[in-house]
């Protein structure tokens, strides 16, 4: 791929946000985060009904910064729900756009990332790529076994941020990512914990479907027998139960709030109930992390804590007090998705990372 310039555009559509960032010579120099209300998006009906609305926001952002055709080196979109893929950078092409538009593997706002990148790239004369979509699947065969032949464990997780912070952590340790053995815990509205062995995530919980620890809004893994009873009780429809597991479970189901920051502050102010729920959340996170010590056969260079919850120093201290004697801990708070998209784009421009085809 020829380097036309050093401008990289990152596009990250979320359920109620459109995040945009321009990078010049690897540094972020322009950012715009659009928040969308439910009422604002409702008239569009489906996720793909929002395409033109979100595309116009991107064009306005580029116009405001006087970006002309030929100025962009590459446009990086957030990857959507595709068929399982190894980690890496992929070209946006016909088959990818077809699967996303048809919601072949599920419907989510992230499905708009590649189509938006493609539309911008065609307008501005550059390549459109995605990197490390949520469906990155590098699991070893043993990790796929659920216990029932009818059900296979799936790899759906925060691959974009997990891979990004894993590379950062490896550099801090004086290693290449491809030489390291790391446990990465992304702690946010969803929680995913992955075993990274020599550049591949060989085991990880399915964060989309609520597997793993409970989260601010997801139930996490549930006792199978009781879940079957609840399913067959007739108290909840399929859609209601699914929402209960993936959107209104976890802390929200117990406390009525998804706001971990507020709950942690209440705990610090002496609220005993809040203290209990924070302890329970940390307990389950640590339990999930330490299960990956077995996956990596006890040979772990570090545990990396990332995501929005990792900003809370008190909670990260609680994690360290539980497991810090077992393995070194590196905290890289926040979600580096925009930086990760840009880093992948520049790696392609530098010929340090190959572009793969979605087939």
């Amino acid at each position: 791929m020829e380097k036309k310039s050093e401008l990289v555009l990152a596009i990250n559509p979320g359920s109620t946000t459109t995040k945009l960032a321009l990078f010049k010579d690897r540094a972020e120099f322009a950012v715009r985060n659009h928040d969308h209300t439910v009422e604002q998006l409702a008239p569009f009906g489906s996720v793909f009904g929002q395409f033109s609305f979100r595309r116009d926001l991107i064009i306005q952002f580029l116009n405001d910064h006087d970006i002309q055709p030929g100025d962009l080196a590459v446009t990086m979109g957030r990857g959507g729900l595709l068929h399982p893929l190894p980690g890496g950078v992929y070209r946006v092409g016909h088959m990818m756009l077809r699967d996303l538009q048809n919601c072949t593997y599920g419907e989510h706002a992230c499905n708009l990332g590649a189509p938006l990148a493609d539309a911008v790239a065609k307008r501005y004369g550059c390549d459109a790529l995605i990197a490390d979509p949520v469906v990155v699947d590098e699991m070893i065969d043993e990790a796929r076994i659920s216990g029932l032949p009818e059900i296979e464990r799936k790899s759906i997780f925060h691959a974009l941020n997990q891979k990004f912070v894993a590379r950062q952590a490896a550099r801090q340790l004086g290693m290449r990512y491809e030489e390291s053995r790391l446990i990465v815990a992304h702690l946010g509205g969803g929680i995913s914990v992955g075993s990274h062995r020599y550049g591949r995530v060989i085991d990880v919980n399915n964060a989309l479907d609520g597997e793993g620890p409970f989260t601010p809004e997801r139930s996490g893994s549930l006792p199978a027998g009781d879940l079957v009873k609840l399913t067959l009780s007739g108290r909840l429809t399929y859609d209601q139960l699914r929402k209960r597991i993936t959107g209104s479970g976890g802390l929200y189901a117990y406390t009525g709030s998804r706001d971990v920051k507020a709950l942690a502050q209440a705990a610090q102010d002496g609220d005993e109930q809040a203290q209990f729920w924070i302890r329970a959340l940390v307990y389950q996170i640590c339990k999930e992390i330490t299960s990956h010590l077995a996956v990596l056969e006890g040979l772990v260079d570090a545990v990396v804590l990332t995501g929005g919850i990792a900003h809370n120093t008190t909670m990260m201290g609680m994690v360290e007090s539980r497991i810090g004697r077992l393995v070194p801990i590196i905290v890289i708070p926040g979600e580096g998705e925009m930086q990760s998209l840009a880093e992948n784009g520049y790696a392609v421009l530098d010929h340090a990372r190959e572009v793969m085809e979605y087939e």
Side-chain angles (χ1 to χ4, degrees), residues 92-103:
V92 177
H94 171 72
M95 289 183 66
M96 181 184 294
L97 294 172
R98 179 202 63 193
D99 284 352
L100 293 170
Q101 187 160 3
N102 293 338
C103 299

Side-chain angles (χ1 to χ4, degrees), residues 233-247:
S233 69
R235 290 166 50 192
L236 299 169
T237 66
Y238 171 81
D239 288 339
Q240 288 171 330
L241 182 57
R242 177 127 184 119
K243 181 174 177 56
R244 186 89 166 140
I245 290 171
T246 63

